[in-house]
Amino acid sequence: MKRQIEDAFEKAKPVIGGALGGAAVVTIAGFAAGWVVTSGTLKAEVKDARVSALATVCAQEAKAHWLDEGKKLAALDGYTNDKREKLAESFSMSVRDWNLESSVQEHCNEELQEAIDA
């Protein structure tokens, strides 16, 4: 009986090794391809989505306000532009408990620049 168990174990070694190796490869591939999401990755993606959505609204509102005042978009052009930065700052939304205001302002400024370039 003991010999039969040893023989069965010897025959199963390649199968067990292949299963463990396959599981390791699938796990590594899953993380590398982004199929498996950790809680840290999820939090970062949620934050990026919030910032992107709020920055888009900020840029649209800021651009509309600027144009409603009869000003030209060309006045906001340039790599660094204090007017554009102040406009983005005044229209960036302060969302309590999310700590996103500076990120929204930065992305809003970038979106305003892209709107001018378009």
Side-chain angles (χ1 to χ4, degrees):
M1 178 72 166
K2 184 178 178 183
R3 183 74 179 146
Q4 290 174 335
I5 293 174
E6 288 175 356
D7 287 343
F9 183 71
E10 286 300 319
K11 289 180 183 177
K13 274 186 180 179
V15 174
I16 293 170
L20 292 174
V25 168
V26 167
T27 302
I28 292 168
F31 278 103
W35 299 331
V36 179
V37 179
T38 63
S39 62
T41 304
L42 181 60
K43 285 180 184 177
E45 289 180 7
V46 168
K47 180 183 177 186
D48 290 346
R50 286 177 177 165
V51 167
S52 178
L54 293 172
T56 299
V57 172
C58 170
Q60 289 173 350
E61 292 294 319
K63 181 180 169 185
H65 175 76
W66 187 261
L67 293 174
D68 285 346
E69 289 187 340
K71 299 176 183 175
K72 305 252 184 217
L73 284 179
L76 298 175
D77 201 8
Y79 181 70
T80 57
N81 186 312
D82 291 335
K83 293 177 188 175
R84 188 181 65 242
E85 288 176 9
K86 289 197 186 301
L87 186 64
E89 181 181 352
S90 65
F91 281 89
S92 64
M93 296 164 201
S94 174
V95 183
R96 194 170 23 148
D97 298 331
W98 285 358
N99 299 322
L100 301 177
E101 186 174 0
S102 62
S103 297
V104 170
Q105 180 181 337
E106 181 182 324
H107 284 81
C108 180
N109 188 17
E110 290 172 6
E111 288 199 26
L112 281 170
Q113 180 62 35
E114 291 171 9
I116 295 163
D117 292 340

